[in-house]
Amino acid sequence: MKEKTILKLKLNTDPRWVDIASKNLEDILVDHAYCEQKAASTGISLILKYPEKTRLVQELTALVAEEWEHFARVLQELRQRGFALGRPRRDEYVVALLAHVRKGGPRERQLMDQLLVSALIEARSCERFKLLWKHIPDPGLSQFYYELMASEAGHFVSYVELAKEYADPQEVDVRFQELLRIEGDIITSLPVRDDRMH
């Protein structure tokens, strides 16, 4: 998968992340489970906020179902290893990105920002799943993250395409470049943690 072409991220994950994450599987899996839950919740929220947008409702309904299936699969991975779900953690990465969704103004602009921020979260997740697939020593989890990697890339594409469906594609491209730079700055500013997926 060519992240630079498909996902367009400006900055790769610090290579230290996968080394320390692989030594702390319980926390990574718990955090991953809540990432999937939040992704499903985001899709539901967008459907409820923009029910008149037929394509959005249709595509995000399928996406929500897939994210919830991923949540169930992560729970299974936790159970197989004797781990409990544990409590949710604050996702500083997502909080920082969401701070750049513009408030007020046209609903269409807010929707564009929400869709593009969701696309970026999916892109970063995909990039991290690829690292886990390639480097994690647990063969079962390696295969698991390989399977989820392609799904996250598909979600990234869906969110960007939906943004271009409901806003001017050139405006979307310009805003997406702005958000990509912001995302890179956020990744640079956050510490490398062994208990977070992002």
Side-chain angles (χ1 to χ4, degrees):
M1 183 176 300
K2 299 176 182 176
E3 286 92 343
K4 292 298 183 186
T5 303
I6 299 172
L7 304 178
K8 306 181 188 304
L9 295 170
K10 298 291 186 186
L11 188 73
N12 291 328
T13 289
D14 188 315
R16 294 174 297 169
W17 175 78
V18 72
D19 293 330
I20 61 176
S22 66
K23 296 177 175 68
N24 200 14
L25 289 182
E26 181 174 6
D27 280 331
I28 285 294
L29 284 169
V30 168
D31 195 60
H32 179 190
Y34 282 110
C35 288
E36 299 292 355
Q37 175 265 314
K38 291 167 190 169
S41 297
T42 295
I44 292 168
S45 295
L46 286 168
I47 290 169
L48 295 177
K49 191 171 181 180
Y50 301 96
E52 74 281 5
K53 300 192 181 303
T54 303
R55 181 180 171 188
L56 180 144
V57 171
Q58 181 178 350
E59 292 198 18
L60 292 189
T61 297
L63 185 147
V64 166
E66 199 165 68
E67 298 285 20
W68 199 250
E69 179 192 359
H70 293 172
F71 174 72
R73 291 187 65 188
V74 181
L75 288 183
Q76 183 179 7
E77 296 293 337
L78 280 164
R79 284 194 299 269
Q80 287 175 354
R81 290 162 177 79
F83 302 144
L85 176 59
R87 299 195 60 80
R89 298 89 179 271
R90 178 178 169 86
D91 192 330
E92 301 290 349
Y93 167 79
V94 171
V95 169
L97 268 179
L98 287 174
H100 294 278
V101 174
R102 292 169 291 187
K103 307 298 188 289
R107 280 179 90 236
E108 303 295 333
R109 190 180 74 176
Q110 290 182 47
L111 174 59
M112 176 180 68
D113 278 7
Q114 289 170 324
L115 291 169
L116 292 179
V117 164
S118 294
L120 283 170
I121 295 168
E122 298 287 346
R124 183 58 66 184
S125 295
C126 180
E127 188 238 11
R128 299 225 164 158
F129 289 173
K130 182 176 181 180
L131 285 172
L132 290 168
W133 160 51
K134 286 195 162 186
H135 300 291
I136 203 165
D138 183 314
L141 273 182
S142 174
Q143 178 63 27
F144 174 66
Y145 282 113
Y146 173 77
E147 293 168 9
L148 264 60
M149 178 181 64
S151 176
E152 299 298 291
H155 295 170
F156 163 79
V157 171
S158 293
Y159 275 122
V160 173
E161 288 182 350
L162 283 171
K164 291 184 176 182
E165 173 83 8
Y166 297 112
D168 177 74
Q170 288 186 325
E171 184 183 355
V172 170
D173 287 338
V174 170
R175 180 60 174 157
F176 193 46
Q177 289 303 314
E178 294 173 357
L179 289 170
L180 279 164
R181 288 191 291 274
I182 289 166
E183 197 270 352
D185 291 341
I186 291 169
I187 287 293
T188 301
S189 68
L190 291 174
V192 179
R193 298 187 58 164
D194 64 354
D195 62 345
R196 295 288 192 276
M197 183 57 72
H198 296 125

